[in-house]
PDB file of all heavy atoms in Angstrom:
ATOM      1  N   ALA P   1     -25.542 -18.029 -76.863  1.00 98.00           N
ATOM      2  CA  ALA P   1     -24.246 -17.554 -77.323  1.00 98.00           C
ATOM      3  C   ALA P   1     -23.139 -18.568 -77.088  1.00 98.00           C
ATOM      4  O   ALA P   1     -23.182 -19.346 -76.131  1.00 98.00           O
ATOM      5  CB  ALA P   1     -23.894 -16.250 -76.621  1.00 98.00           C
ATOM      6  N   ASN P   2     -22.143 -18.540 -77.958  1.00 98.00           N
ATOM      7  CA  ASN P   2     -20.937 -19.345 -77.824  1.00 98.00           C
ATOM      8  C   ASN P   2     -19.730 -18.481 -78.146  1.00 98.00           C
ATOM      9  O   ASN P   2     -19.816 -17.543 -78.946  1.00 98.00           O
ATOM     10  CB  ASN P   2     -20.980 -20.563 -78.746  1.00 98.00           C
ATOM     11  CG  ASN P   2     -21.928 -21.629 -78.259  1.00 98.00           C
ATOM     12  OD1 ASN P   2     -21.622 -22.363 -77.329  1.00 98.00           O
ATOM     13  ND2 ASN P   2     -23.112 -21.702 -78.872  1.00 98.00           N
ATOM     14  N   TYR P   3     -18.583 -18.814 -77.526  1.00 98.00           N
ATOM     15  CA  TYR P   3     -17.376 -18.012 -77.661  1.00 98.00           C
ATOM     16  C   TYR P   3     -16.152 -18.893 -77.850  1.00 98.00           C
ATOM     17  O   TYR P   3     -16.089 -20.012 -77.333  1.00 98.00           O
ATOM     18  CB  TYR P   3     -17.147 -17.152 -76.416  1.00 98.00           C
ATOM     19  CG  TYR P   3     -18.296 -16.258 -76.062  1.00 98.00           C
ATOM     20  CD1 TYR P   3     -19.311 -16.693 -75.214  1.00 98.00           C
ATOM     21  CD2 TYR P   3     -18.381 -14.967 -76.581  1.00 98.00           C
ATOM     22  CE1 TYR P   3     -20.378 -15.867 -74.890  1.00 98.00           C
ATOM     23  CE2 TYR P   3     -19.444 -14.137 -76.259  1.00 98.00           C
ATOM     24  CZ  TYR P   3     -20.434 -14.594 -75.417  1.00 98.00           C
ATOM     25  OH  TYR P   3     -21.491 -13.766 -75.095  1.00 98.00           O
ATOM     26  N   VAL P   4     -15.177 -18.356 -78.560  1.00 98.00           N
ATOM     27  CA  VAL P   4     -13.888 -19.007 -78.612  1.00 98.00           C
ATOM     28  C   VAL P   4     -13.239 -18.898 -77.225  1.00 98.00           C
ATOM     29  O   VAL P   4     -13.474 -17.932 -76.485  1.00 98.00           O
ATOM     30  CB  VAL P   4     -12.997 -18.369 -79.704  1.00 98.00           C
ATOM     31  CG1 VAL P   4     -12.613 -16.947 -79.340  1.00 98.00           C
ATOM     32  CG2 VAL P   4     -11.779 -19.228 -79.983  1.00 98.00           C
ATOM     33  N   ASP P   5     -12.457 -19.903 -76.843  1.00 98.00           N
ATOM     34  CA  ASP P   5     -11.921 -19.964 -75.486  1.00 98.00           C
ATOM     35  C   ASP P   5     -11.145 -18.708 -75.093  1.00 98.00           C
ATOM     36  O   ASP P   5     -11.198 -18.275 -73.936  1.00 98.00           O
ATOM     37  CB  ASP P   5     -11.025 -21.187 -75.326  1.00 98.00           C
ATOM     38  CG  ASP P   5     -11.807 -22.479 -75.243  1.00 98.00           C
ATOM     39  OD1 ASP P   5     -13.029 -22.435 -75.021  1.00 98.00           O
ATOM     40  OD2 ASP P   5     -11.188 -23.552 -75.393  1.00 98.00           O
ATOM     41  N   SER P   6     -10.433 -18.111 -76.018  1.00 98.00           N
ATOM     42  CA  SER P   6      -9.562 -16.993 -75.707  1.00 98.00           C
ATOM     43  C   SER P   6     -10.308 -15.731 -75.269  1.00 98.00           C
ATOM     44  O   SER P   6      -9.702 -14.829 -74.695  1.00 98.00           O
ATOM     45  CB  SER P   6      -8.662 -16.665 -76.898  1.00 98.00           C
ATOM     46  OG  SER P   6      -9.431 -16.309 -78.030  1.00 98.00           O
ATOM     47  N   VAL P   7     -11.613 -15.646 -75.526  1.00 98.00           N
ATOM     48  CA  VAL P   7     -12.367 -14.450 -75.151  1.00 98.00           C
ATOM     49  C   VAL P   7     -13.437 -14.721 -74.103  1.00 98.00           C
ATOM     50  O   VAL P   7     -14.111 -13.782 -73.663  1.00 98.00           O
ATOM     51  CB  VAL P   7     -13.022 -13.772 -76.380  1.00 98.00           C
ATOM     52  CG1 VAL P   7     -11.991 -13.552 -77.476  1.00 98.00           C
ATOM     53  CG2 VAL P   7     -14.204 -14.584 -76.896  1.00 98.00           C
ATOM     54  N   LYS P   8     -13.589 -15.956 -73.679  1.00 98.00           N
ATOM     55  CA  LYS P   8     -14.605 -16.284 -72.682  1.00 98.00           C
ATOM     56  C   LYS P   8     -14.367 -15.505 -71.393  1.00 98.00           C
ATOM     57  O   LYS P   8     -13.245 -15.408 -70.904  1.00 98.00           O
ATOM     58  CB  LYS P   8     -14.607 -17.783 -72.390  1.00 98.00           C
ATOM     59  CG  LYS P   8     -15.198 -18.624 -73.506  1.00 98.00           C
ATOM     60  CD  LYS P   8     -15.202 -20.102 -73.145  1.00 98.00           C
ATOM     61  CE  LYS P   8     -15.835 -20.936 -74.250  1.00 98.00           C
ATOM     62  NZ  LYS P   8     -15.800 -22.386 -73.939  1.00 98.00           N
ATOM     63  N   GLY P   9     -15.436 -14.940 -70.860  1.00 98.00           N
ATOM     64  CA  GLY P   9     -15.347 -14.134 -69.660  1.00 98.00           C
ATOM     65  C   GLY P   9     -15.003 -12.688 -69.910  1.00 98.00           C
ATOM     66  O   GLY P   9     -15.088 -11.865 -68.987  1.00 98.00           O
ATOM     67  N   ARG P  10     -14.601 -12.345 -71.139  1.00 98.00           N
ATOM     68  CA  ARG P  10     -14.235 -10.975 -71.468  1.00 98.00           C
ATOM     69  C   ARG P  10     -15.171 -10.351 -72.506  1.00 98.00           C
ATOM     70  O   ARG P  10     -15.438  -9.155 -72.444  1.00 98.00           O
ATOM     71  CB  ARG P  10     -12.800 -10.910 -71.998  1.00 98.00           C
ATOM     72  CG  ARG P  10     -11.759 -11.408 -71.000  1.00 98.00           C
ATOM     73  CD  ARG P  10     -10.339 -11.140 -71.490  1.00 98.00           C
ATOM     74  NE  ARG P  10     -10.040 -11.842 -72.740  1.00 98.00           N
ATOM     75  CZ  ARG P  10      -9.713 -11.245 -73.882  1.00 98.00           C
ATOM     76  NH1 ARG P  10      -9.623  -9.915 -73.935  1.00 98.00           N
ATOM     77  NH2 ARG P  10      -9.448 -11.961 -74.966  1.00 98.00           N
ATOM     78  N   PHE P  11     -15.634 -11.142 -73.467  1.00 98.00           N
ATOM     79  CA  PHE P  11     -16.489 -10.643 -74.543  1.00 98.00           C
ATOM     80  C   PHE P  11     -17.919 -11.127 -74.340  1.00 98.00           C
ATOM     81  O   PHE P  11     -18.151 -12.235 -73.835  1.00 98.00           O
ATOM     82  CB  PHE P  11     -16.010 -11.139 -75.906  1.00 98.00           C
ATOM     83  CG  PHE P  11     -14.715 -10.547 -76.390  1.00 98.00           C
ATOM     84  CD1 PHE P  11     -13.895  -9.791 -75.568  1.00 98.00           C
ATOM     85  CD2 PHE P  11     -14.317 -10.760 -77.709  1.00 98.00           C
ATOM     86  CE1 PHE P  11     -12.701  -9.257 -76.025  1.00 98.00           C
ATOM     87  CE2 PHE P  11     -13.128 -10.231 -78.182  1.00 98.00           C
ATOM     88  CZ  PHE P  11     -12.320  -9.478 -77.343  1.00 98.00           C
ATOM     89  N   THR P  12     -18.877 -10.312 -74.775  1.00 98.00           N
ATOM     90  CA  THR P  12     -20.283 -10.682 -74.721  1.00 98.00           C
ATOM     91  C   THR P  12     -20.954 -10.305 -76.035  1.00 98.00           C
ATOM     92  O   THR P  12     -20.907  -9.143 -76.445  1.00 98.00           O
ATOM     93  CB  THR P  12     -21.017  -9.992 -73.566  1.00 98.00           C
ATOM     94  OG1 THR P  12     -20.385 -10.314 -72.324  1.00 98.00           O
ATOM     95  CG2 THR P  12     -22.472 -10.452 -73.516  1.00 98.00           C
ATOM     96  N   ILE P  13     -21.566 -11.276 -76.689  1.00 98.00           N
ATOM     97  CA  ILE P  13     -22.340 -11.010 -77.890  1.00 98.00           C
ATOM     98  C   ILE P  13     -23.809 -10.892 -77.499  1.00 98.00           C
ATOM     99  O   ILE P  13     -24.299 -11.634 -76.644  1.00 98.00           O
ATOM    100  CB  ILE P  13     -22.119 -12.110 -78.955  1.00 98.00           C
ATOM    101  CG1 ILE P  13     -22.791 -11.734 -80.282  1.00 98.00           C
ATOM    102  CG2 ILE P  13     -22.599 -13.465 -78.466  1.00 98.00           C
ATOM    103  CD1 ILE P  13     -22.433 -12.670 -81.437  1.00 98.00           C
ATOM    104  N   SER P  14     -24.505  -9.948 -78.106  1.00 97.00           N
ATOM    105  CA  SER P  14     -25.920  -9.753 -77.819  1.00 97.00           C
ATOM    106  C   SER P  14     -26.621  -9.261 -79.074  1.00 97.00           C
ATOM    107  O   SER P  14     -25.975  -8.904 -80.065  1.00 97.00           O
ATOM    108  CB  SER P  14     -26.122  -8.772 -76.658  1.00 97.00           C
ATOM    109  OG  SER P  14     -25.599  -7.491 -76.977  1.00 97.00           O
ATOM    110  N   ARG P  15     -27.941  -9.239 -79.027  1.00 96.00           N
ATOM    111  CA  ARG P  15     -28.698  -8.808 -80.191  1.00 96.00           C
ATOM    112  C   ARG P  15     -29.917  -8.017 -79.772  1.00 96.00           C
ATOM    113  O   ARG P  15     -30.471  -8.210 -78.693  1.00 96.00           O
ATOM    114  CB  ARG P  15     -29.105 -10.017 -81.052  1.00 96.00           C
ATOM    115  CG  ARG P  15     -29.987 -11.033 -80.334  1.00 96.00           C
ATOM    116  CD  ARG P  15     -30.083 -12.323 -81.149  1.00 96.00           C
ATOM    117  NE  ARG P  15     -30.783 -12.118 -82.405  1.00 96.00           N
ATOM    118  CZ  ARG P  15     -30.504 -12.744 -83.544  1.00 96.00           C
ATOM    119  NH1 ARG P  15     -29.505 -13.636 -83.580  1.00 96.00           N
ATOM    120  NH2 ARG P  15     -31.211 -12.496 -84.635  1.00 96.00           N
ATOM    121  N   ASP P  16     -30.333  -7.107 -80.638  1.00 94.00           N
ATOM    122  CA  ASP P  16     -31.551  -6.337 -80.475  1.00 94.00           C
ATOM    123  C   ASP P  16     -32.337  -6.530 -81.759  1.00 94.00           C
ATOM    124  O   ASP P  16     -32.088  -5.861 -82.763  1.00 94.00           O
ATOM    125  CB  ASP P  16     -31.247  -4.862 -80.223  1.00 94.00           C
ATOM    126  CG  ASP P  16     -32.490  -4.046 -79.923  1.00 94.00           C
ATOM    127  OD1 ASP P  16     -33.598  -4.455 -80.293  1.00 94.00           O
ATOM    128  OD2 ASP P  16     -32.354  -2.977 -79.298  1.00 94.00           O
ATOM    129  N   ASN P  17     -33.268  -7.459 -81.727  1.00 91.00           N
ATOM    130  CA  ASN P  17     -33.989  -7.807 -82.946  1.00 91.00           C
ATOM    131  C   ASN P  17     -34.845  -6.656 -83.469  1.00 91.00           C
ATOM    132  O   ASN P  17     -35.043  -6.525 -84.675  1.00 91.00           O
ATOM    133  CB  ASN P  17     -34.857  -9.046 -82.703  1.00 91.00           C
ATOM    134  CG  ASN P  17     -34.029 -10.298 -82.510  1.00 91.00           C
ATOM    135  OD1 ASN P  17     -32.903 -10.400 -82.995  1.00 91.00           O
ATOM    136  ND2 ASN P  17     -34.587 -11.267 -81.802  1.00 91.00           N
ATOM    137  N   ALA P  18     -35.356  -5.808 -82.567  1.00 92.00           N
ATOM    138  CA  ALA P  18     -36.153  -4.669 -82.996  1.00 92.00           C
ATOM    139  C   ALA P  18     -35.341  -3.685 -83.819  1.00 92.00           C
ATOM    140  O   ALA P  18     -35.888  -2.971 -84.658  1.00 92.00           O
ATOM    141  CB  ALA P  18     -36.775  -3.968 -81.787  1.00 92.00           C
ATOM    142  N   LYS P  19     -34.029  -3.632 -83.572  1.00 94.00           N
ATOM    143  CA  LYS P  19     -33.142  -2.731 -84.303  1.00 94.00           C
ATOM    144  C   LYS P  19     -32.332  -3.450 -85.375  1.00 94.00           C
ATOM    145  O   LYS P  19     -31.504  -2.823 -86.037  1.00 94.00           O
ATOM    146  CB  LYS P  19     -32.195  -2.028 -83.337  1.00 94.00           C
ATOM    147  CG  LYS P  19     -32.885  -1.119 -82.336  1.00 94.00           C
ATOM    148  CD  LYS P  19     -31.871  -0.437 -81.425  1.00 94.00           C
ATOM    149  CE  LYS P  19     -32.555   0.503 -80.452  1.00 94.00           C
ATOM    150  NZ  LYS P  19     -31.574   1.161 -79.546  1.00 94.00           N
ATOM    151  N   ASN P  20     -32.558  -4.743 -85.532  1.00 94.00           N
ATOM    152  CA  ASN P  20     -31.790  -5.555 -86.482  1.00 94.00           C
ATOM    153  C   ASN P  20     -30.286  -5.353 -86.279  1.00 94.00           C
ATOM    154  O   ASN P  20     -29.531  -5.156 -87.240  1.00 94.00           O
ATOM    155  CB  ASN P  20     -32.185  -5.233 -87.927  1.00 94.00           C
ATOM    156  CG  ASN P  20     -33.497  -5.871 -88.325  1.00 94.00           C
ATOM    157  OD1 ASN P  20     -33.949  -6.835 -87.704  1.00 94.00           O
ATOM    158  ND2 ASN P  20     -34.121  -5.342 -89.369  1.00 94.00           N
ATOM    159  N   THR P  21     -29.867  -5.430 -85.024  1.00 96.00           N
ATOM    160  CA  THR P  21     -28.494  -5.129 -84.657  1.00 96.00           C
ATOM    161  C   THR P  21     -27.918  -6.212 -83.750  1.00 96.00           C
ATOM    162  O   THR P  21     -28.614  -6.728 -82.876  1.00 96.00           O
ATOM    163  CB  THR P  21     -28.406  -3.773 -83.944  1.00 96.00           C
ATOM    164  OG1 THR P  21     -28.851  -2.739 -84.831  1.00 96.00           O
ATOM    165  CG2 THR P  21     -26.984  -3.463 -83.514  1.00 96.00           C
ATOM    166  N   VAL P  22     -26.657  -6.527 -83.962  1.00 97.00           N
ATOM    167  CA  VAL P  22     -25.911  -7.408 -83.081  1.00 97.00           C
ATOM    168  C   VAL P  22     -24.719  -6.625 -82.536  1.00 97.00           C
ATOM    169  O   VAL P  22     -24.152  -5.774 -83.235  1.00 97.00           O
ATOM    170  CB  VAL P  22     -25.470  -8.697 -83.806  1.00 97.00           C
ATOM    171  CG1 VAL P  22     -24.512  -8.390 -84.944  1.00 97.00           C
ATOM    172  CG2 VAL P  22     -24.858  -9.682 -82.819  1.00 97.00           C
ATOM    173  N   TYR P  23     -24.356  -6.890 -81.284  1.00 98.00           N
ATOM    174  CA  TYR P  23     -23.281  -6.174 -80.614  1.00 98.00           C
ATOM    175  C   TYR P  23     -22.202  -7.156 -80.148  1.00 98.00           C
ATOM    176  O   TYR P  23     -22.459  -8.337 -79.923  1.00 98.00           O
ATOM    177  CB  TYR P  23     -23.794  -5.427 -79.386  1.00 98.00           C
ATOM    178  CG  TYR P  23     -24.917  -4.465 -79.658  1.00 98.00           C
ATOM    179  CD1 TYR P  23     -26.247  -4.852 -79.492  1.00 98.00           C
ATOM    180  CD2 TYR P  23     -24.661  -3.161 -80.073  1.00 98.00           C
ATOM    181  CE1 TYR P  23     -27.281  -3.972 -79.731  1.00 98.00           C
ATOM    182  CE2 TYR P  23     -25.694  -2.276 -80.318  1.00 98.00           C
ATOM    183  CZ  TYR P  23     -27.004  -2.683 -80.144  1.00 98.00           C
ATOM    184  OH  TYR P  23     -28.032  -1.803 -80.387  1.00 98.00           O
ATOM    185  N   LEU P  24     -21.003  -6.633 -79.982  1.00 98.00           N
ATOM    186  CA  LEU P  24     -19.939  -7.365 -79.325  1.00 98.00           C
ATOM    187  C   LEU P  24     -19.303  -6.444 -78.296  1.00 98.00           C
ATOM    188  O   LEU P  24     -18.589  -5.507 -78.655  1.00 98.00           O
ATOM    189  CB  LEU P  24     -18.885  -7.858 -80.320  1.00 98.00           C
ATOM    190  CG  LEU P  24     -17.796  -8.748 -79.724  1.00 98.00           C
ATOM    191  CD1 LEU P  24     -18.389 -10.082 -79.252  1.00 98.00           C
ATOM    192  CD2 LEU P  24     -16.672  -8.999 -80.720  1.00 98.00           C
ATOM    193  N   GLN P  25     -19.596  -6.682 -77.025  1.00 98.00           N
ATOM    194  CA  GLN P  25     -18.982  -5.938 -75.937  1.00 98.00           C
ATOM    195  C   GLN P  25     -17.664  -6.598 -75.591  1.00 98.00           C
ATOM    196  O   GLN P  25     -17.629  -7.784 -75.246  1.00 98.00           O
ATOM    197  CB  GLN P  25     -19.902  -5.920 -74.716  1.00 98.00           C
ATOM    198  CG  GLN P  25     -19.325  -5.190 -73.513  1.00 98.00           C
ATOM    199  CD  GLN P  25     -19.182  -3.707 -73.742  1.00 98.00           C
ATOM    200  OE1 GLN P  25     -20.111  -3.061 -74.213  1.00 98.00           O
ATOM    201  NE2 GLN P  25     -18.018  -3.156 -73.409  1.00 98.00           N
ATOM    202  N   MET P  26     -16.571  -5.857 -75.666  1.00 98.00           N
ATOM    203  CA  MET P  26     -15.237  -6.379 -75.440  1.00 98.00           C
ATOM    204  C   MET P  26     -14.626  -5.674 -74.238  1.00 98.00           C
ATOM    205  O   MET P  26     -14.387  -4.468 -74.278  1.00 98.00           O
ATOM    206  CB  MET P  26     -14.363  -6.194 -76.680  1.00 98.00           C
ATOM    207  CG  MET P  26     -14.950  -6.810 -77.942  1.00 98.00           C
ATOM    208  SD  MET P  26     -13.844  -6.676 -79.376  1.00 98.00           S
ATOM    209  CE  MET P  26     -13.859  -4.893 -79.606  1.00 98.00           C
ATOM    210  N   ASN P  27     -14.382  -6.418 -73.176  1.00 98.00           N
ATOM    211  CA  ASN P  27     -13.782  -5.893 -71.958  1.00 98.00           C
ATOM    212  C   ASN P  27     -12.416  -6.530 -71.730  1.00 98.00           C
ATOM    213  O   ASN P  27     -12.094  -7.569 -72.304  1.00 98.00           O
ATOM    214  CB  ASN P  27     -14.679  -6.159 -70.753  1.00 98.00           C
ATOM    215  CG  ASN P  27     -16.037  -5.507 -70.859  1.00 98.00           C
ATOM    216  OD1 ASN P  27     -16.171  -4.411 -71.401  1.00 98.00           O
ATOM    217  ND2 ASN P  27     -17.058  -6.172 -70.323  1.00 98.00           N
ATOM    218  N   SER P  28     -11.628  -5.911 -70.867  1.00 98.00           N
ATOM    219  CA  SER P  28     -10.296  -6.422 -70.526  1.00 98.00           C
ATOM    220  C   SER P  28      -9.496  -6.766 -71.767  1.00 98.00           C
ATOM    221  O   SER P  28      -8.893  -7.838 -71.878  1.00 98.00           O
ATOM    222  CB  SER P  28     -10.425  -7.644 -69.609  1.00 98.00           C
ATOM    223  OG  SER P  28     -11.124  -7.328 -68.421  1.00 98.00           O
ATOM    224  N   LEU P  29      -9.472  -5.847 -72.703  1.00 98.00           N
ATOM    225  CA  LEU P  29      -8.838  -6.106 -73.995  1.00 98.00           C
ATOM    226  C   LEU P  29      -7.334  -6.304 -73.848  1.00 98.00           C
ATOM    227  O   LEU P  29      -6.673  -5.664 -73.027  1.00 98.00           O
ATOM    228  CB  LEU P  29      -9.133  -4.965 -74.960  1.00 98.00           C
ATOM    229  CG  LEU P  29     -10.535  -5.011 -75.571  1.00 98.00           C
ATOM    230  CD1 LEU P  29     -10.915  -3.661 -76.160  1.00 98.00           C
ATOM    231  CD2 LEU P  29     -10.605  -6.097 -76.642  1.00 98.00           C
ATOM    232  N   LYS P  30      -6.809  -7.201 -74.674  1.00 98.00           N
ATOM    233  CA  LYS P  30      -5.398  -7.546 -74.695  1.00 98.00           C
ATOM    234  C   LYS P  30      -4.815  -7.234 -76.066  1.00 98.00           C
ATOM    235  O   LYS P  30      -5.537  -7.215 -77.060  1.00 98.00           O
ATOM    236  CB  LYS P  30      -5.218  -9.038 -74.392  1.00 98.00           C
ATOM    237  CG  LYS P  30      -5.833  -9.504 -73.089  1.00 98.00           C
ATOM    238  CD  LYS P  30      -5.717 -11.013 -72.951  1.00 98.00           C
ATOM    239  CE  LYS P  30      -6.328 -11.501 -71.655  1.00 98.00           C
ATOM    240  NZ  LYS P  30      -6.227 -12.978 -71.522  1.00 98.00           N
ATOM    241  N   PRO P  31      -3.500  -7.018 -76.150  1.00 97.00           N
ATOM    242  CA  PRO P  31      -2.891  -6.764 -77.461  1.00 97.00           C
ATOM    243  C   PRO P  31      -3.194  -7.859 -78.483  1.00 97.00           C
ATOM    244  O   PRO P  31      -3.338  -7.556 -79.674  1.00 97.00           O
ATOM    245  CB  PRO P  31      -1.401  -6.691 -77.144  1.00 97.00           C
ATOM    246  CG  PRO P  31      -1.356  -6.175 -75.742  1.00 97.00           C
ATOM    247  CD  PRO P  31      -2.538  -6.832 -75.056  1.00 97.00           C
ATOM    248  N   GLU P  32      -3.304  -9.102 -78.047  1.00 97.00           N
ATOM    249  CA  GLU P  32      -3.594 -10.186 -78.965  1.00 97.00           C
ATOM    250  C   GLU P  32      -5.014 -10.153 -79.523  1.00 97.00           C
ATOM    251  O   GLU P  32      -5.346 -10.933 -80.417  1.00 97.00           O
ATOM    252  CB  GLU P  32      -3.311 -11.548 -78.319  1.00 97.00           C
ATOM    253  CG  GLU P  32      -3.947 -11.724 -76.952  1.00 97.00           C
ATOM    254  CD  GLU P  32      -2.980 -11.441 -75.811  1.00 97.00           C
ATOM    255  OE1 GLU P  32      -2.255 -10.429 -75.881  1.00 97.00           O
ATOM    256  OE2 GLU P  32      -2.937 -12.240 -74.856  1.00 97.00           O
TER     257      GLU P  32
END
């Protein structure tokens, strides 16, 4: 995985190939 600097440490991308699904977990969300 790779991230834009502004979300590093807060967002996590993951995948479940068996479900053909990708996720984006977003924590510590900011108005921006």
Side-chain angles (χ1 to χ4, degrees):
N2 286 283
Y3 304 90
V4 68
D5 286 345
S6 61
V7 309
K8 287 181 178 178
R10 300 188 298 119
F11 290 11
T12 302
I13 187 171
S14 62
R15 61 192 294 146
D16 185 338
N17 291 334
K19 296 181 178 179
N20 283 340
T21 298
V22 64
Y23 304 95
L24 185 67
Q25 179 67 48
M26 304 184 293
N27 299 325
S28 301
L29 282 162
K30 304 174 180 179
E32 50 262 45

